Amino acid sequence: MTLITLSPLRQLGAATTLALAIGLPALAQAAEPAPALELPTQKGTVSLEDLKGKVVLLDFWASWCGPCRQSFPWMNDMQAKYGDQGFEVVAVNLDQDENAAATFLDQIPANFTVAYDAEGKTPEAYEVMGMPSAYLIDRNGNIHSQHIGFHNDRKESYEEDIRSLLSAAQN
């Protein structure tokens, strides 16, 4: 018998994928530090280290992703609703062609931080398994939960997770 050992982040992804496949919400695991991130934006750079103390929704997306078109208006709403409470959306574009991302953003503007990783190093560190993939990171820089895809019928649950983390005390 062969035993396959998965990293904790891969375990989280595998458990979440299984949960989604059988119709359960994304799973929360024991807190694990989010991998470091420092990426270019249109206004400079964004770093998770600089965002410590905030609740961060880190979203990986691409211009060709249909569910991403549905998630952007919701992320705009969440940023507007909770931004003054210490919530920050950071959407990492993975398109190799920056014109494709620009066209998407012309059609569906983002009122939150958009970072760019055409080389795909960040999704590799997060072991992203589908588009879009979102990671909810607590004020201490730990991954609280993740979800793959965007499901309109789960928006309430996603928002409840955000509210819960915003109301939690920082350690």
Side-chain angles (χ1 to χ4, degrees):
M1 181 164 105
T2 304
L3 180 63
I4 299 172
T5 304
L6 299 174
S7 72
L9 193 56
R10 181 63 78 184
Q11 290 172 7
L12 176 62
T16 300
T17 300
L18 176 61
L20 292 172
I22 61 175
L24 298 175
L27 302 177
Q29 300 285 349
E32 177 180 340
L37 173 143
E38 187 164 343
L39 292 170
T41 70
Q42 292 293 330
K43 300 176 183 174
T45 61
V46 64
S47 162
L48 277 185
E49 185 63 32
D50 293 342
L51 295 174
K52 276 212 174 151
K54 293 188 174 199
V55 172
V56 177
L57 179 67
L58 180 64
D59 182 76
F60 292 93
W61 68 283
S63 63
W64 48 263
C65 167
C68 297
R69 293 182 173 280
Q70 296 174 16
S71 69
F72 267 57
W74 178 81
M75 290 189 297
N76 281 332
D77 290 346
M78 294 300 98
Q79 183 64 57
K81 192 171 184 178
Y82 298 109
D84 62 349
Q85 296 176 42
F87 177 68
E88 186 80 27
V89 175
V90 177
V92 179
N93 178 262
L94 303 177
D95 285 308
Q96 293 179 343
D97 175 9
E98 62 185 67
N99 290 328
T103 299
F104 179 101
L105 292 169
D106 284 344
Q107 295 169 1
I108 306 169
N111 300 323
F112 47 79
T113 302
V114 176
Y116 299 91
D117 185 0
E119 294 178 20
K121 293 185 192 276
T122 309
E124 204 172 283
Y126 279 81
E127 299 177 353
V128 169
M129 296 179 5
M131 287 290 171
S133 283
Y135 298 79
L136 191 57
I137 301 168
D138 67 21
R139 294 180 188 272
N140 298 311
N142 296 311
I143 296 174
H144 171 269
S145 60
Q146 93 172 93
H147 61 264
I148 300 169
F150 183 76
H151 306 276
N152 280 312
D153 60 340
R154 297 187 188 147
K155 291 190 295 190
E156 215 171 278
S157 172
Y158 300 156
E159 186 172 356
E160 178 54 39
D161 282 349
I162 292 167
R163 280 194 306 267
S164 173
L165 288 182
L166 287 171
S167 65
Q170 185 176 355
N171 295 334

